[in-house]
Amino acid sequence: MSSHLSADHPAAQPPGNGSVEALISQARRLRGDVDAVRRDSQEDAADPRGRWQRALYDLALHQLTDLDAHLAQLRDGPAPAPRPGSLLSRVGSAEWNLLTDEAEWSGELFHILGRDPASVPLSLDELPSLVLAEDRPKLTAMVTDCLVDGRPIDGEFRVVHPDGAVRTVHMMGEPVLDADGSTASMWAVLRDVSELRRSQRAVSETRDSLRRPPPPPWHELLRFPDEGRPGLALAAAHLPSASTAGRSRYGGWYDACSLGADGETLLTVGDFEDPGAEAHGPAVVIGALRALALAGTRPARLGERLGAWGGATALPPVRAGVYCGYRPLTRTLTWAHARGPAPLLFRGGTGRELPGQDGPSGQAEAPLEAGDLLLLHTGALEPDAVEHLLSLAPRLTGADSAQDAVRIVMCELGESPGRRDACVLVARVTS
């Protein structure tokens, strides 16, 4: 592709290697000094101010590492085949020729956008297909303003990789004019800033925790291992009420269990009649549910069979439960509930309750899509819990992981007055 340069975007002369080496040495010395101060500091991880200071050190080190990598790239030039996980692979460039409709991407950009380096670069019209649905209008507006009004691009959007991972990308660009002053092409530099934004959020969250009382702690925040549960990223948490916080008593349970070679997963959430059940209560109920499901009991009958077992064994009485089976080959969710709340489905920045089953002992089915976020909860929350949870839809669908989505829910609901013990389980559908 031929190159077009505008009068205010002339070709820059590369700096001498000596001056760049000096900058690299200075950046590395500063990074070493910051790391040494961080290691020598005595922040208390349980203290909000200590967590805030630690987050600031981590953010500074992250940015200095990026600076070192960018200076090295300036010295060495772009790598044709970036190493997986290399910091150098997190900055890419592109030029879109409006006269020939051709696109030229650097090798790094394919990695950032989750594309096969052997594939054809996407045109400007095709680029939004990689972007999260709610961010597409933002990208379209930035590109239109650049091409029509000549405004520089400087903004962020989220892209979805083939494996379902969501990454935050920062894009800077300008129109490139031909000899007649018309826009001939558009160039841009794109950078994956997902980790940077997470570091900044950590600083912000710990800073905010210094300004208000922390929410009640939860006993567990669990990220389930991915092995044996294809097609789902899972996380869950138990938030105790003020009366049981810090004690070994639980008002409910959550669980995810692989059911066989076809990859079906059992997801369950529920609570007990006694809000202060002994610590072994969840383990006993989870064991019983897994045994029933592995023996072939479908979600529609799990609540009934669990109740029958409870009358003849030491199982703690169950007040309500939600029982789901997910089949990754068809992306189908089968679910039923026994006095428990319906699962919530979040997609494209919005959320809704899934429709109920047919009859008191029936079960419902719902087709899911890659990127969908499913939320199960015990219902032991304030009366308007469902509306509160649904209002979090833009934040939940934009979360970087299932674990981050659980943190959002628990931080929001942790300050709810009159809340009993609550359990939340989040499942994000992956490719």
Side-chain angles (χ1 to χ4, degrees):
M1 175 188 294
S2 60
S3 176
H4 302 276
L5 297 173
S6 63
D8 57 351
H9 183 62
Q13 295 298 317
N17 277 348
S19 58
V20 175
E21 286 289 356
L23 290 173
I24 291 174
S25 297
Q26 292 175 27
R28 290 177 179 175
R29 281 197 300 271
L30 180 57
R31 184 180 61 184
D33 291 344
V34 172
D35 190 38
V37 173
R38 182 188 66 163
R39 284 186 278 106
D40 291 342
S41 61
Q42 302 294 324
E43 301 94 353
D44 182 1
D47 175 60
R49 181 172 294 278
R51 291 196 301 271
W52 173 65
Q53 291 175 347
R54 172 68 63 175
L56 278 175
Y57 280 130
D58 290 343
L59 178 58
L61 285 171
H62 181 90
Q63 291 174 322
L64 286 169
T65 301
D66 275 0
L67 175 61
D68 179 26
H70 297 159
L71 290 172
Q73 191 176 51
L74 183 63
R75 177 194 61 195
D76 302 332
R83 299 184 302 276
S86 168
L87 287 170
L88 298 182
S89 68
R90 294 174 51 240
V91 180
S93 60
E95 184 172 355
W96 290 273
N97 191 313
L98 306 181
L99 305 179
T100 63
D101 203 29
E102 293 178 330
E104 186 175 295
W105 289 9
S106 69
E108 296 89 343
L109 186 55
F110 284 92
H111 177 73
I112 291 170
L113 299 182
R115 296 279 293 173
D116 182 352
S119 64
V120 176
L122 299 184
S123 68
L124 282 175
D125 291 334
E126 296 168 327
L127 188 62
S129 65
L130 306 179
V131 178
L132 209 62
E134 54 263 39
D135 288 358
R136 289 174 189 170
K138 181 194 305 183
L139 174 62
T140 300
M142 289 192 301
V143 171
T144 301
D145 289 345
C146 179
L147 298 181
V148 176
D149 300 327
R151 298 179 186 173
I153 288 178
D154 188 354
E156 294 182 4
F157 52 87
R158 290 163 296 172
V159 297
V160 183
H161 283 198
D163 62 358
V166 178
R167 308 294 295 178
T168 302
V169 175
H170 184 206
M171 181 177 185
M172 298 182 67
E174 292 181 2
V176 179
L177 308 181
D178 60 17
D180 298 328
S182 302
T183 301
S185 63
M186 190 186 90
W187 69 273
V189 174
L190 295 93
R191 180 186 179 205
D192 185 334
V193 294
S194 303
E195 284 76 16
L196 177 60
R197 294 296 173 257
R198 274 195 284 269
S199 296
Q200 290 174 332
R201 282 197 299 272
V203 171
S204 177
E205 289 169 2
T206 53
R207 180 192 61 211
D208 291 344
S209 69
L210 296 173
R211 299 175 177 173
R212 67 172 187 270
W218 53 84
H219 287 177
E220 276 188 283
L221 176 58
L222 177 64
R223 179 185 183 275
F224 292 91
D226 295 332
E227 293 78 6
R229 276 173 282 273
L232 290 178
L234 299 164
H238 167 234
L239 179 64
S241 67
S243 61
T244 61
R247 298 159 53 194
S248 298
R249 303 177 72 85
Y250 295 82
W253 82 88
Y254 53 78
D255 185 44
C257 172
S258 179
L259 296 182
D262 62 353
E264 183 171 2
T265 298
L266 173 70
L267 307 172
T268 67
V269 164
D271 53 12
F272 304 118
E273 293 284 1
D274 177 5
E278 295 296 334
H280 67 268
V284 174
V285 169
I286 288 170
L289 284 170
R290 290 184 172 189
L292 288 168
L294 289 169
T297 305
R298 304 308 300 159
R301 299 201 60 200
L302 278 176
E304 172 191 340
R305 295 291 303 276
L306 191 65
W309 274 18
T313 66
L315 283 173
V318 172
R319 186 185 73 86
V322 186
Y323 313 99
C324 302
Y326 176 70
R327 296 189 293 273
L329 295 180
T330 59
R331 287 187 182 151
T332 302
L333 181 78
T334 302
W335 72 276
H337 60 169
R339 293 183 292 169
L344 304 182
L345 177 62
F346 297 87
R347 176 185 297 166
T350 62
R352 62 183 176 89
E353 280 188 291
L354 289 179
Q357 68 264 27
D358 298 326
S361 299
Q363 61 186 21
E365 284 194 357
L368 302 183
E369 301 175 1
D372 282 354
L373 189 141
L374 187 72
L375 189 151
L376 311 181
H377 66 99
T378 57
L381 305 169
E382 76 276 17
D384 60 346
V386 172
E387 289 75 13
H388 194 168
L389 291 170
L390 293 177
S391 71
L392 302 176
R395 295 173 60 192
L396 293 177
T397 55
D400 291 325
S401 65
Q403 194 171 17
D404 285 344
V406 167
R407 285 196 180 97
I408 291 171
V409 171
M410 302 310 279
C411 286
E412 286 290 329
L413 299 183
E415 299 177 353
S416 303
R419 171 188 46 74
R420 304 197 307 272
D421 270 31
C423 290
V424 171
L425 187 150
V426 165
R428 170 174 274 169
V429 179
T430 60
S431 299

